[in-house]
Amino acid sequence: MSTAVDIAVVGAGAAGLAAAVSAARAGCTTMLLDQRPAAGGTGGFSGLTTLCGLYDDAGKFLNGGFAREFAEALAERPSPDRPEPGAASRQRADREMGAPIKMGRVWVLSYRPETFRARAAQLISSTPNLRAHWHAPLQSVVAENGRITRVNDFAVGVVIDCSGGAEVARLVDAECLATDATTQAPAVVFPLDGVTREFNSAADVAQVLLPLARAGFPPLNFQASLERDQLTVKFTGAPEAVRPLIEFLRANIGGFENCATPLKEFAPTPRAGRMIVGQYVLTGTDVLAGRKFPDAVARCAWPVEQWGADGVARFQYLPPGAHYEIPARSLRAARVENLFMAGKTLSADVAAIASARVMGCCLATGAAAGQLAAQYLQSPPRK
Ligand SMILES: Cc1cc2nc3c(=O)[nH]c(=O)nc-3n(C[C@H](O)[C@H](O)[C@H](O)COP(=O)(O)OP(=O)(O)OC[C@H]3O[C@@H](n4cnc5c(N)ncnc54)[C@H](O)[C@@H]3O)c2cc1C
């Protein structure tokens, strides 16, 4: 039997979650579908533990609305009997309460992936007008006269493509731009437990990374985790190189003697996605110039972060204090009347998406796409 919904959101990562909840809150019957068993996408399922792109240079929220609401919902509420003495414990307690932490020149939020999934599930189940479908791969999209009319078994008014790979756009042949491993190398993300070494500065990190590089290991970086004595590792080497890497750390680096990962298997997570060509294509020049737009719907200040095929990250920062804006036109497909997009599918060139793909920005563009889609349905533009 076939049913109808106002808005179909494909993909339940940071962008799709924000889009679906925002569209439903605006009064539209909304369907959220994902091939996974639950909401979370890359942020909930890949082992990442830092949410980037939420803050400006001073650690203040760049976007209000859903992005801020979800970030605040990720804060743990440590029980009063938890606090332990010591600077590291205090820092962790601060982070658990949702305080941003400074990582080099940028501010990030530490979170637990299971909390990301749990808060996403709570939001979805408590939002009227919103129905989620799990284990539900996108199977078919029907377009007639430049408009999408059906997604899988549903008649739809508007579609928001938050699939990361522009899967809706692919099925209706909408024009897309692709990234690949030469602009964004994939990484194996895994937790490393039993690390007692303290990292208080970039120099402390360099003291660990230098011997690894000298020993010929591909680049990696460490990020703080909310778990005691745990780091999150993003390793640009092959999955087979993870075990030798851990052995090397145990044998050669102080504070890593007892490190181990609970994971049994390792797989690379792709950073690259596909961007749908929209009514405006955000460029790397816009990003680095901190450009503003009259139809701005989201803000971001994350640097252009490109991980090359050599596994080396190149960061290009905005000027101090600057942020750029994302226009509504970058969330609306150029040639398919009722197709919107957000997150990694945003209309952006390879340099701009290397900044705008971080999760804080995906939450903000997702929320904006949900609201724009609802406005479009409630008053479609005259031709
Ligand atoms: C190695 C790595 C490290 C990163 N580090 C960070 C970091 O530290 N901090 C940060 O903020 N960002 C980081 N990022 C970037 C960030 O995680 C992603 O860009 C962001 O999560 C993308 O969100 P999204 O909602 O656009 O897409 P995704 O989270 O990828 O969600 C897309 C969803 O669509 C679903 N989907 C796809 N195809 C189909 C289909 N055919 N049918 C049904 N469902 C489908 C998927 O199952 C998925 O749930 C990192 C990315 C990588 C790969």
Side-chain angles (χ1 to χ4, degrees):
M1 198 184 76
S2 152
T3 33
V5 292
D6 292 332
I7 297 181
V9 180
V10 178
L17 166 71
V21 171
S22 302
R25 283 179 180 171
C28 298
T29 56
T30 305
M31 162 177 89
L32 173 62
L33 65 88
D34 200 295
Q35 61 200 4
R36 284 194 161 105
T42 309
F45 286 97
S46 65
L48 293 179
T49 52
T50 42
L51 221 152
C52 307
L54 288 169
Y55 309 109
D56 66 11
D57 267 12
K60 301 264 181 276
F61 278 106
L62 278 161
N63 294 286
F66 186 86
R68 180 167 183 166
E69 176 188 339
F70 190 67
E72 288 176 346
L74 288 179
E76 307 289 330
R77 286 164 193 88
S79 61
D81 56 343
R82 277 283 303 278
E84 308 124 42
S89 304
R90 272 200 305 277
Q91 275 173 16
R92 197 173 55 249
D94 277 354
R95 293 203 304 266
E96 284 186 331
M97 293 306 284
I101 51 166
K102 197 158 193 199
M103 234 175 50
R105 289 169 62 172
V106 290
W107 292 84
V108 301
L109 178 72
S110 291
Y111 72 93
R112 291 192 170 89
E114 59 272 28
T115 310
F116 192 113
R117 298 194 300 270
R119 299 289 179 270
Q122 283 160 2
L123 272 162
I124 291 167
S125 63
S126 63
T127 303
N129 303 323
L130 175 56
R131 171 126 190 255
H133 301 251
W134 308 125
H135 299 291
L138 179 67
Q139 280 164 336
S140 62
V141 181
V142 176
E144 294 162 42
N145 303 322
R147 292 177 57 85
I148 297 175
T149 53
R150 304 189 72 79
V151 168
N152 289 0
D153 267 345
F154 292 80
V156 295
V158 176
V159 183
I160 310 177
D161 189 339
C162 297
S163 63
E167 302 305 331
V168 178
R170 198 190 297 275
L171 291 182
V172 294
D173 254 345
E175 193 184 352
C176 289
L177 299 166
T179 53
D180 60 27
T182 62
T183 52
Q184 287 297 356
V188 183
V189 182
F190 62 92
L192 197 59
D193 294 331
V195 180
T196 52
R197 193 178 177 111
E198 296 251 335
F199 293 94
N200 295 313
S201 67
D204 293 345
V205 179
Q207 277 180 4
V208 175
L209 297 187
L210 208 59
L212 288 172
R214 286 203 183 112
F217 285 101
L220 57 85
N221 66 0
F222 296 126
Q223 291 188 339
S225 148
L226 287 176
E227 310 307 332
R228 168 183 273 283
D229 297 341
Q230 186 193 73
L231 293 173
T232 300
V233 183
K234 295 182 191 173
F235 178 51
T236 46
E240 312 77 78
V242 173
R243 295 279 172 216
L245 171 79
I246 294 174
E247 285 314 313
F248 182 91
L249 286 164
R250 289 169 68 97
N252 296 286
I253 312 285
F256 283 77
E257 296 85 352
N258 299 313
C259 74
T261 181
L263 296 192
K264 303 270 179 284
E265 288 173 13
F266 305 97
T269 310
R271 284 193 173 91
R274 263 157 52 92
M275 296 81 76
I276 302 169
V277 174
Q279 296 180 348
Y280 181 80
V281 179
L282 188 76
T283 67
T285 310
D286 295 334
V287 167
L288 293 174
R291 185 156 173 204
K292 309 292 187 293
F293 295 90
D295 59 335
V297 287
R299 297 175 180 159
C300 186
W302 196 254
V304 172
E305 178 187 344
Q306 274 164 317
W307 290 79
D310 54 4
V312 176
R314 291 166 189 84
F315 288 86
Q316 292 172 274
Y317 290 89
L318 278 71
H323 69 263
Y324 64 93
E325 293 179 339
I326 297 174
R329 287 164 293 151
S330 292
L331 304 183
R332 181 135 182 230
R335 296 210 179 83
V336 183
E337 165 73 18
N338 57 346
L339 176 60
F340 290 74
M341 57 274 189
K344 268 165 75 176
T345 58
L346 179 81
S347 175
D349 69 12
V350 290
I353 204 67
S355 162
R357 72 192 174 86
V358 288
M359 285 184 272
C361 195
C362 293
L363 289 167
T365 57
Q371 286 160 0
L372 289 167
Q375 281 163 20
Y376 165 81
L377 261 190
Q378 284 151 5
S379 57
R382 278 170 223 244
K383 289 228 166 173

